[in-house]
Amino acid sequence: MNGCHISLNGAPLCALGTGALWWEAQSLLCVSDLHLGKSNRMARRFGVHVPPYETRDTLTRLAQDLETTGARQVVCLGDSFDDLAAADAMHEEDRAWITRLQAGRLWVWIEGNHDPGPLDLGGTRLDHLRIDALTFRHIAEASGTGEVSGHYHPKVQVPLRGRMISRPAFLLDPQRLIMPAYGTYTGGLRSTEPALSNLMMPKATAILTGGVPHQVPMPTSGIPISSTAGK
Amino acid sequence: MFKGLKRVIVDEIHALAESKRGDQLFLALARLQSLCPDLKRVGLSATVEDPQAIAHLLARHPDPCDILLADPGPAPDIRMLVTQEAPPWSGSGGKYAIPAVLEEIKKHKTTLIFHNTRAQAELYFHNIWLANDDGLPIGIHHGSLDRQQREKVEQAMVRGDLRAIVCTGSLDLGIDWGDVDLVIQIGAPKNVKRLVQRIGRANHRYNAPSKALLVPANRFEVVECVAALQAVQAGELDGEPRGKGPRDVVCQHILITACAGPFDADALFTEVTGAGAYSTLTRAEFDDCLTFCATGGYALRAYDQWQRLLQRPDGLWQLRDPRASRNIRMNIGTIQDTDTLKVRMKRARGGKPLGEIEEGFAATLSKGDTFLIGGQIVRYEGLRDLTVEVSRDAGKKPKIATFLGTKFATSTQLSARILKKFQQASWPELPPHTADWLALQRKVSRLPEPGRLLIESFPHDGHVHTAIYGFAGRNAMQTLGLLLTKRMEELGLNPLGFLATDYATLIWGLDKITDPNALFEINALRTGLETWLAGNAVMKRTFRACATIAGLIQRNTPQQRKSGRQATFSSDILYDTLHKYDPDHVMMQITREEAMKGLIDFSRIEDMVARVGTRIDLIELNRVTPLAAPLFLEVGRVPVKGMAEEKLLAAEAARLMATAGLPS
């Protein structure tokens, strides 16, 4: 498995380079912030026609992760849809695709701020989910322990030989894990923003997504990450 | 509103003819002409290499256009500044000539000192102040500076308070005030027309010659400056043919037209093709633009319910939601700022604005880093509300500002002149240091020739180096570097990196080239281009510009929130998605057309390969040659990416974890 092995509240986990989280002991794959149907909402709300292929692209990547892991359980950690109208407007073939992916799997849709309310699709709708030592919810709570959440779309910048490498990233400290956004049309919030750096404990780390996931100390607003490579 | 309008005069029309601003203007003139059929158009310019081509752009197609030629006036007094010290082997700053330049400033009333990029202007201004022992009043003016700052400089100049202004192209056009009696160009002008334009800033009295000095920034530019001077004397201007008008501007024109009211597609097509730049636009191409504006024009029909433009039962097109006109109007225009951030002094409630820097540059700054802006060194304090906050920093050497203006490529005509100059038996018109340098190159290797391609191969620093003297201009030589390293990778020659200048590409790696003809096979290069283009940053940058002009990406929206950064995703993602799922989409077509003639400049590689044929001279040497030596001092090395980047990143991640005392 192309991933970075980590542990949260005693649970051994694997942060995949694709941005998904793999919990082998539970055969559980977790993805966050899919934002399916974003193009539909943008056209409806702002009159802009971005290429309408993000749902297809996101589902393609999800299907690949399901195949490589062979996961029996799937947790979508909220904001799975850009809004509920976008979920309703989804193409029939995408809807059928999701149904096929769900076949033979326990599938949980955690509610997010973008997609609260009932969903006309298979799977279980939950506010949050507890399995063993871990709690899955959309937005991190200050007091959470063993908490896996999404919402912030964290990304991290690493200076490398005069360039900046910026990638979506997992943020990890002993208390919680914040997942990167998995959806194709999702931007990112830098880990140096107060919303994130205040939430994470000192000595938090970040795992950059990409071909090979790389773990680095999490850059925070206080102490900028510094690099001597190439100087 | 335009009732009674009789005549429109377009001044400095050559500058508009080269840009999308011009294309948009001429579309707007076509619109005006429909409203006022008797409208007359007049274009003025002092620097046009091909009056017929400009006339074609200006006049309603296919109406004729009268061309009046004025007496060119006295020949300009233009020379190269000869300094005690020889110019350095590389670089573009011209710092060595500062004492001589200060002397010239003292001898004249007002001097304009032109630079090719903003960063160079900043550095030069900083350095000239350090050397300005007499305290001459000298100002700085460029497009990244805050508007107030710029206006202050302009006013001081009008009052005659300044003896010199360090500037960039922002002073190129239309500023005729002041008593400028000398123009100094730092760095080779790259393009003869621009040089003539800049000389024209001096001495605007019609019967007095303009006076100008060229300061080559390095040894190679000495040759380039002399070649440019000879071109000016011969009255030879250069210009690249512009080609068809870009269609992203047509898309925007359609949307703007819809904002004004319902329109008939046939009538609009006639109007658009009445603009010279679009006289060859086909109906099918126009219809693609119209479809794009209406539904996005995707292979997957997704927006029928949310069309932007609707065709009414009477056949006219209109906005589906009239409120959209506000959005569209907020995004009118074709000028693309790179993403810039405002720079301010850090104060309790918003300090003095200083100017702007590129977001990419800002991202490389850490607290405490210093850079130059408006001639002062400032210290980066942090980012607040998308504004870069800085404090004054006295005395430190700055981290160089890399908010580059455009890096111009040397024009085809000027490159040809340089190649021709190389063929002379001796160079009495060049300063001895430069003539000796060329003579030495001829002795140990050979000089590049027109119609042939010189390649030198030599070991240096444990790697095999290959210098290819293509003389195709910076952009094309850069593209050539990317394509050749890709081909070398395929051939197992293990390239490690390359760099490009206007005249050469230098590649280093583990193995040497043995069969250059195979490497320069044009079809293989073209195939390489196709695959390489896909993921290329240049394409993405071009896509962003085109998509913004065409209205796919909105720069300004009324809903824009300050904290909206998390919600926006980069245009690169749109590009990647289109490339994957809809590669023939009209925006991809427009992007390709644009990139090929712009930053990628593949046409100049094709010209070069056609010109050279199989006349490639590969020379193996045991050491660096005189002509190649300056290349080693150039900045802008491009590593060959791929697994190399992952390996570097892995090492860096491990180092950072270890430094932070974290287990990895």
Side-chain angles (χ1 to χ4, degrees):
Chain A
M1 197 73 50
N2 168 23
C4 180
H5 294 279
I6 55 175
S7 144
L8 181 65
N9 212 15
L13 302 169
C14 183
L16 302 183
T18 58
L21 182 72
W22 172 231
W23 189 2
E24 193 171 10
Q26 298 286 340
S27 188
L28 182 150
L29 188 81
C30 177
V31 288
S32 189
D33 297 272
L34 302 180
H35 286 272
L36 302 174
K38 175 132 198 149
S39 59
N40 174 275
R41 177 160 167 263
M42 285 179 77
R44 199 171 355 107
R45 292 279 305 275
F46 310 113
V48 179
H49 297 153
V50 298
Y53 303 106
E54 82 288 4
T55 299
R56 189 185 285 190
D57 191 66
T58 306
L59 291 179
T60 304
R61 287 183 295 109
L62 181 57
Q64 274 160 8
D65 271 342
L66 287 174
E67 195 182 314
T68 33
T69 56
R72 311 298 303 160
Q73 296 191 72
V74 175
V75 176
C76 297
L77 212 47
D79 288 0
S80 305
F81 299 91
D82 210 40
D83 62 7
L84 289 181
D88 291 340
M90 208 162 39
H91 278 257
E92 262 326 301
E93 45 287 23
D94 292 339
R95 190 173 284 273
W97 194 355
I98 292 176
T99 309
R100 281 201 305 282
L101 293 179
Q102 289 178 328
R105 294 189 170 99
L106 278 171
W107 194 289
V108 173
W109 302 104
I110 301 285
E111 282 188 29
N113 54 312
H114 272 260
D115 59 355
L119 204 55
D120 181 22
L121 278 162
T124 312
R125 197 82 171 118
L126 291 174
D127 172 69
H128 66 278
L129 169 70
R130 267 198 78 95
I131 301 178
D132 278 2
L134 300 187
T135 303
F136 294 85
R137 67 163 58 92
H138 183 57
I139 304 181
E141 290 183 355
S143 58
T145 45
E147 180 192 73
V148 180
S149 65
H151 180 65
Y152 291 103
H153 304 194
K155 70 173 179 186
V156 158
Q157 291 190 309
V158 178
L160 193 68
R161 306 208 172 195
R163 291 187 304 136
M164 271 292 176
I165 307 241
S166 175
R167 295 186 184 175
F170 297 84
L171 303 183
L172 174 71
D173 69 14
Q175 225 180 321
R176 65 169 54 87
L177 176 71
I178 301 182
M179 304 262 300
Y182 194 84
T184 298
Y185 288 173
T186 49
L189 186 69
R190 286 181 195 158
S191 64
T192 50
E193 292 293 321
L196 282 169
S197 51
N198 293 345
L199 195 55
M200 302 301 288
M201 290 161 67
K203 296 252 169 186
T205 60
I207 299 140
L208 276 66
T209 58
V212 181
H214 299 287
Q215 193 170 18
V216 298
M218 184 185 106
T220 62
S221 45
I223 316 131
I225 193 167
S226 70
S227 164
T228 54
K231 281 190 185 163
Chain B
M1 179 167 157
F2 292 109
K3 200 169 157 234
L5 179 68
K6 292 222 168 63
R7 182 172 283 116
V8 171
I9 299 176
V10 186
D11 196 8
E12 310 277 14
I13 189 169
H14 61 276
L16 288 163
E18 285 166 1
S19 70
K20 290 186 182 179
R21 293 162 76 181
D23 296 322
Q24 184 162 48
L25 175 77
F26 296 125
L27 285 176
L29 282 180
R31 178 92 191 127
L32 262 184
Q33 197 88 50
S34 303
L35 301 173
C36 322
D38 295 331
L39 179 68
K40 293 230 173 357
R41 312 179 190 181
V42 180
L44 305 173
S45 172
T47 45
V48 169
E49 78 283 5
D50 184 355
Q52 280 301 340
I54 298 276
H56 173 65
L57 291 180
L58 174 68
R60 173 165 61 181
H61 185 76
D63 297 355
C65 178
D66 294 332
I67 298 172
L68 301 176
L69 297 173
D71 168 16
D77 169 12
I78 170 169
R79 278 169 295 143
M80 194 162 75
L81 181 68
V82 180
T83 52
Q84 293 281 315
E85 201 182 329
W89 289 110
S90 75
S92 47
K95 188 179 163 192
Y96 77 97
I98 281 179
V101 167
L102 281 169
E103 281 310 306
E104 292 296 333
I105 294 173
K106 280 183 214 159
K107 280 190 248 162
H108 293 85
K109 280 182 293 210
T110 309
T111 304
L112 293 183
I113 307 170
F114 277 105
H115 289 261
N116 287 337
T117 72
R118 294 168 187 180
Q120 279 166 21
E122 282 285 356
L123 272 177
Y124 195 84
F125 184 63
H126 179 68
N127 288 326
I128 205 167
W129 261 108
L130 294 179
N132 186 6
D133 299 331
D134 298 333
L136 296 169
I138 299 175
I140 181 165
H141 191 288
H142 64 69
S144 292
L145 291 177
D146 189 71
R147 189 170 161 169
Q148 278 180 328
Q149 307 262 79
R150 269 181 286 165
E151 283 171 356
K152 239 164 70 185
V153 170
E154 287 164 17
Q155 283 155 11
M157 187 177 166
V158 172
R159 286 195 304 270
D161 290 350
L162 292 175
R163 293 294 296 280
I165 297 174
V166 175
C167 57
T168 63
S170 62
L171 272 189
D172 253 354
L173 293 172
I175 300 178
D176 286 347
W177 27 254
D179 213 355
V180 176
D181 53 351
L182 177 66
V183 166
I184 296 180
Q185 160 74 34
I186 308 280
K190 305 290 171 199
N191 165 320
V192 179
K193 195 163 29 164
R194 188 176 312 113
L195 176 61
V196 171
Q197 181 74 36
R198 286 181 177 174
I199 300 167
R201 295 295 114 215
N203 232 339
H204 251 261
R205 274 164 301 151
Y206 179 66
N207 52 3
S210 314
K211 191 170 170 193
L213 285 171
L214 297 186
V215 180
N218 59 50
R219 209 63 63 92
F220 187 83
E221 286 191 354
V222 174
V223 187
E224 197 173 326
C225 283
V226 171
L229 287 177
Q230 289 176 341
V232 173
Q233 268 144 24
E236 213 178 80
L237 296 177
D238 42 13
E240 310 290 335
R242 184 84 208 295
K244 278 173 88 158
R247 279 186 290 162
D248 48 350
V249 182
V250 175
C251 293
Q252 190 182 111
H253 191 69
I254 292 172
L255 288 173
I256 299 171
T257 307
C259 288
F263 66 88
D264 176 63
D266 295 341
L268 185 59
F269 175 67
T270 309
E271 195 177 282
V272 166
T273 50
Y278 295 100
S279 59
T280 57
L281 184 78
T282 65
R283 183 59 197 248
E285 288 169 330
F286 174 82
D287 285 342
D288 282 347
C289 293
L290 182 58
T291 308
F292 168 77
C293 293
T295 65
Y298 298 105
L300 175 69
R301 296 186 66 94
Y303 298 124
D304 288 351
Q305 196 189 344
W306 307 110
Q307 290 205 4
R308 218 169 186 186
L309 300 180
L310 283 176
Q311 195 168 21
R312 311 195 303 195
D314 65 0
L316 297 187
W317 292 82
Q318 69 169 41
L319 290 173
R320 175 181 57 80
D321 179 357
R323 287 170 303 178
S325 65
R326 180 158 156 231
N327 254 355
I328 294 166
R329 287 191 167 121
M330 280 178 78
N331 287 279
I332 289 181
T334 58
I335 302 174
Q336 294 297 306
D337 326 313
T338 41
D339 278 316
T340 53
L341 297 174
K342 287 213 181 325
V343 180
R344 275 176 188 277
M345 281 293 171
K346 187 174 176 169
R347 292 271 189 289
R349 25 166 100 214
K352 194 169 120 184
L354 297 172
E356 292 178 341
I357 58 174
E358 274 178 28
E359 198 174 350
F361 175 62
T364 66
L365 295 172
S366 307
K367 192 170 172 164
D369 279 346
T370 57
F371 60 97
L372 275 166
I373 187 159
Q376 52 183 316
I377 301 177
V378 294
R379 196 179 121 95
Y380 178 72
E381 295 291 346
L383 198 64
R384 198 174 76 176
D385 295 342
L386 299 184
T387 301
V388 174
E389 292 192 323
V390 298
S391 58
R392 230 172 276 275
D393 188 283
K396 265 203 203 166
K397 199 177 151 71
K399 174 172 179 169
I400 293 175
T402 57
F403 47 99
L404 300 166
T406 331
K407 269 207 169 176
F408 300 115
T410 305
S411 71
T412 311
Q413 290 86 336
L414 199 49
S415 298
R417 271 189 175 267
I418 295 168
L419 276 175
K420 223 169 102 196
K421 183 160 281 302
F422 280 165
Q423 308 321 305
Q424 294 171 202
S426 63
W427 299 274
E429 75 279 28
L430 294 178
H433 50 67
T434 303
D436 293 348
W437 172 52
L438 295 184
L440 186 63
Q441 167 71 18
R442 181 173 280 163
K443 200 173 136 209
V444 304
S445 174
R446 61 169 93 173
L447 281 165
E449 296 170 47
R452 303 188 76 87
L453 180 65
L454 174 65
I455 301 178
E456 292 176 336
S457 168
F458 46 82
H460 179 72
D461 214 8
H463 294 141
V464 177
H465 283 73
T466 309
I468 299 142
Y469 300 97
F471 283 84
R474 184 179 294 272
N475 295 335
M477 292 312 284
Q478 176 100 10
T479 302
L480 188 66
L482 287 161
L483 295 179
L484 288 181
T485 48
K486 194 172 178 329
R487 286 277 289 151
M488 288 169 73
E489 186 105 41
E490 287 162 8
L491 297 171
L493 297 175
N494 297 309
L496 288 167
F498 73 92
L499 71 79
T501 70
D502 277 307
Y503 65 99
T505 301
L506 180 70
I507 300 173
W508 52 93
L510 303 181
D511 301 286
K512 66 183 162 202
I513 294 172
T514 47
D515 182 4
N517 280 311
L519 211 53
F520 280 90
E521 218 277 299
I522 189 70
N523 287 324
L525 285 181
R526 205 175 284 127
T527 316
L529 186 71
E530 298 289 327
T531 40
W532 164 72
L533 271 182
N536 180 263
V538 169
M539 283 297 274
K540 290 179 179 172
R541 204 181 323 158
T542 309
F543 172 80
R544 180 165 63 182
C546 294
T548 307
I549 290 171
L552 176 61
I553 300 169
Q554 301 194 330
R555 231 166 217 300
N556 310 303
T557 62
Q559 301 89 355
Q560 219 162 38
R561 291 162 300 168
K562 252 187 194 167
S563 58
R565 298 189 68 70
Q566 176 193 1
T568 60
F569 47 95
S570 92
S571 65
D572 292 3
I573 294 173
L574 296 182
Y575 173 85
D576 287 336
T577 307
L578 266 183
H579 177 71
K580 212 154 143 193
Y581 297 101
D582 210 340
D584 295 326
H585 186 259
V586 65
M587 278 318 304
M588 297 301 269
Q589 294 173 22
I590 295 172
T591 303
R592 288 180 57 86
E593 287 162 13
E594 183 95 5
M596 291 300 246
K597 61 187 178 192
L599 287 165
I600 289 173
D601 216 359
F602 191 65
S603 58
R604 277 182 80 175
I605 296 179
E606 285 191 310
D607 290 349
M608 182 193 85
V609 173
R611 209 164 52 230
V612 165
T614 54
R615 292 176 295 280
I616 301 178
D617 306 312
L618 175 65
I619 301 188
E620 271 194 55
L621 301 130
N622 55 15
R623 53 184 293 194
V624 180
T625 62
L627 202 54
L631 297 174
F632 286 87
L633 306 169
E634 285 283 338
V635 290
R637 293 170 166 250
V638 182
V640 172
K641 281 202 216 158
M643 281 319 286
E645 177 174 306
E646 291 299 337
K647 279 181 196 161
L648 284 174
L649 191 55
E652 178 65 1
R655 193 193 67 78
L656 288 168
M657 292 295 278
T659 310
L662 294 164
S664 55

